[in-house]
Amino acid sequence: MPEFSRRKFLLTAGVSAASSIFLKGCLGNPPEPGGTTTQAQQVVATNVSAADAPETTTVKLGYIPIVEAAPLIVAKEKGFFAKYGMTNVDLSKQANWGSARDNVEIGAAGGGIDGGQWQMPMPYLISEGRITKGNRKIPMYVLAQLNTQGNGIAIANKHLGKGIGVKVAGKEAFFAQLKSANAIFKAAQTFPGVNQDFWIRYWLAASGVDPDKDIQLLTVPAAQTVANMKTGTMDAFSTGDPWPYRIIKDKIGFMAALTAEIWKNHPEEYLAMRGDWVDKHPKATKAILKGLMEAQQWCDNFDNRKELAQILAGRNYFNVPVAVLNDPFMGKYDMGDGRRIDDRKMAALYWKDEKGSVSYPYKSHDLWFLTESVRWGFLPESTLANAKTLIDKVNREDLWREAAKELGVAAADIPTTTSRGVEEFFDGIKFDPENPKAYLQSLKIKKVSG
């Protein structure tokens, strides 16, 4: 199996870099690239003993303006970071995932960022030098999971009524007809080999569609995909809230599936930081985690969701109408094809879900992301032989536990094992973290031979 190609990453991710901003276009005036917040509450640290005082009160965290970033923004705006001594948290809006990678490479001291919000397994790819300039290894630590759910698969309206839903019915005739008409199905995600790429790949492959042979899968910023969908040149893309609402309202397309339907309570995006920053500032790291955990609990109180939508919709953050956030935050989705979902358990969740902790970074989930990377040839098969060592190096769930205990989180809300156990997907496939090779063997469509 060939080594993961950094060249492929740079070429495809470069499409994102060429766009002016990640979330703009039909949602109103675009946010300013690289903009930082100016509405931070000035809160005096009230819960910090001298022994726990952070080594620094300053950190720069990158985020992308999608609902996964909500806990970071809330921790800043509601004063949760400041409460634990982190009074100078700079949230830096990133133009796209490629920019976030570039900025963490240079670090805040060089004008970049110390860490922030990431799709998985980007922290691992950066740590191993697979997507960095000159393949330089920049150790990263995964510190917490930010959320679950809140994503989906959007399809252009021209394909309404053609059997494209959670399962793709009549797929052979549908894709064969497109191929014969030289109109191959074009789908997009926002960065190759990470969450949103995996969601659309898994969804297609579960219905017998090979994402590397039967369609054209591209890396394109969300704003460009919406524009292309309007003109009829883009057939689908893997997207996150608040896009579904606008897609439906503008009659651009429909939602074939929510990721909550593909893998309920799945891991979504993460807080990860440069290892050198964490090693130098362990108390500050735990202060950040405490503020984040309080924010996640606040976000999961549905009585707060209207205020949450108002905070995120602001000009300094998402710069979108509040209406595009309100319904998805309450688990209400008009799928655009006649289906409607009204279930809070299907909404983006930040602290707890039906399976337990959302915030805790399970090592078993990291293993799935690495295994899925092997499945599609993004990482060599040898990755699995060394996966435990790599995960133990990058995943710092121990810091999460320490912060949770110091915060006073109930013992019942602190996982006692680093594995969430066997996971099951909508097609009946199961992933047992004790035997990832069995998972690979059970998959019919894959690049790996095992």
Side-chain angles (χ1 to χ4, degrees):
M1 179 62 61
E3 288 287 318
F4 184 90
S5 171
R6 179 178 180 274
R7 180 182 296 272
K8 177 183 177 183
F9 261 83
L10 293 178
L11 287 174
T12 52
V15 179
S16 295
S19 181
S20 61
I21 193 68
F22 180 73
L23 286 177
K24 66 176 185 179
C26 67
L27 292 183
N29 294 327
E32 296 178 6
T36 57
T37 65
T38 58
Q39 297 178 341
Q41 295 182 357
Q42 297 302 311
V43 179
V44 177
T46 59
N47 205 30
V48 183
S49 68
D52 292 332
E55 301 86 356
T56 178
T57 61
T58 299
V59 68
K60 191 172 184 180
L61 302 175
Y63 76 96
I64 297 286
I66 48 179
V67 294
E68 287 85 339
L72 295 172
I73 294 170
V74 166
K76 168 89 168 181
E77 287 295 314
K78 301 297 287 186
F80 296 127
F81 282 143
K83 179 179 178 180
Y84 296 98
M86 296 305 296
T87 54
N88 189 24
V89 176
D90 182 358
L91 295 185
S92 175
K93 189 182 295 181
Q94 302 296 292
N96 48 60
W97 294 108
S99 293
R101 171 205 56 203
D102 294 344
N103 282 328
V104 85
E105 280 189 54
I106 61 177
I113 57 177
D114 299 305
Q117 167 194 355
W118 301 98
Q119 293 193 69
M120 283 288 266
M122 286 184 79
Y124 285 87
L125 301 174
I126 294 168
S127 292
E128 293 298 293
R130 292 187 173 274
I131 58 172
T132 56
K133 296 179 182 67
N135 300 116
R136 176 188 167 209
K137 293 185 178 183
I138 303 170
M140 297 282 290
Y141 291 158
V142 169
L143 299 173
Q145 184 177 307
L146 292 173
N147 71 301
T148 182
Q149 304 175 160
N151 278 250
I153 310 299
I155 308 293
N157 264 343
K158 64 183 178 181
H159 298 305
L160 260 174
K162 297 181 181 179
I164 302 179
V166 179
K167 288 288 185 76
V168 183
K171 59 186 179 302
E172 289 86 358
F174 175 76
F175 287 104
Q177 184 178 4
L178 288 175
K179 275 188 174 181
S180 65
N182 289 323
I184 190 167
F185 191 86
K186 293 182 180 180
Q189 32 69 18
T190 56
F191 197 86
V194 296
N195 287 30
Q196 291 184 0
D197 191 7
F198 290 155
W199 303 148
I200 198 166
R201 283 174 174 273
Y202 195 100
W203 169 72
L204 287 166
S207 289
V209 180
D210 190 327
D212 290 314
K213 295 179 181 178
D214 298 329
I215 71 163
Q216 186 175 357
L217 191 55
L218 307 170
T219 299
V220 179
Q224 188 173 327
T225 57
V226 170
N228 288 348
M229 197 172 272
K230 275 187 172 182
T231 60
T233 57
M234 183 67 70
D235 297 282
F237 62 94
S238 181
T239 185
D241 294 336
W243 286 101
Y245 183 98
R246 182 61 78 177
I247 290 165
I248 308 308
K249 185 176 180 181
D250 287 1
K251 302 186 186 303
I252 298 168
F254 63 96
M255 299 301 294
L258 301 180
T259 52
E261 296 177 288
I262 297 171
W263 180 8
K264 199 171 186 183
N265 307 313
H266 63 81
E268 185 48 39
E269 292 181 11
Y270 288 76
L271 169 67
M273 298 184 66
R274 286 179 60 113
D276 55 6
W277 195 95
V278 174
D279 290 340
K280 186 178 180 180
H281 309 106
K283 293 179 182 179
T285 300
K286 285 193 286 184
I288 291 169
L289 281 169
K290 291 173 191 176
L292 179 76
M293 290 177 191
E294 281 212 33
Q296 289 179 299
Q297 294 173 47
W298 187 92
C299 289
D300 258 13
N301 182 340
F302 277 77
D303 291 340
N304 294 332
R305 294 251 162 150
K306 282 190 176 180
E307 183 182 353
L308 174 59
Q310 291 172 347
I311 292 171
L312 299 183
R315 182 175 179 81
N316 286 325
Y317 293 112
F318 292 12
N319 195 23
V320 300
V322 175
V324 306
L325 290 162
N326 279 332
D327 279 355
F329 269 144
M330 300 305 291
K332 295 179 180 180
Y333 292 92
D334 177 355
M335 302 294 279
D337 60 357
R339 280 202 307 147
R340 288 182 180 272
I341 292 173
D342 187 353
D343 184 352
R344 291 184 178 186
K345 294 178 182 177
M346 303 287 276
L349 300 172
Y350 298 94
W351 180 245
K352 292 178 71 174
D353 60 24
E354 294 171 294
K355 299 198 76 171
S357 178
V358 170
S359 179
Y360 175 76
Y362 284 100
K363 289 184 176 182
S364 59
H365 288 161
D366 294 18
L367 180 59
W368 180 82
F369 283 111
L370 295 178
T371 304
E372 198 71 359
S373 298
V374 171
R375 173 189 185 179
W376 298 114
F378 295 137
L379 291 175
E381 290 185 62
S382 60
T383 301
L384 294 184
N386 304 315
K388 185 181 185 304
T389 300
L390 179 58
I391 291 171
D392 287 346
K393 183 171 62 174
V394 176
N395 185 304
R396 294 300 307 274
E397 57 80 33
D398 58 311
L399 293 176
W400 188 98
R401 288 178 189 274
E402 290 177 21
K405 289 176 182 177
E406 292 176 14
L407 184 63
V409 172
D413 291 337
I414 300 177
T416 57
T417 172
T418 61
S419 174
R420 199 171 74 167
V422 176
E423 306 284 350
E424 185 170 357
F425 301 82
F426 78 112
D427 57 348
I429 294 291
K430 294 182 179 180
F431 173 75
D432 183 350
E434 296 298 319
N435 192 356
K437 287 188 177 180
Y439 167 78
L440 288 175
Q441 291 168 351
S442 71
L443 300 167
K444 293 181 180 178
I445 297 179
K446 56 198 172 188
K447 279 195 171 182
V448 66
S449 58

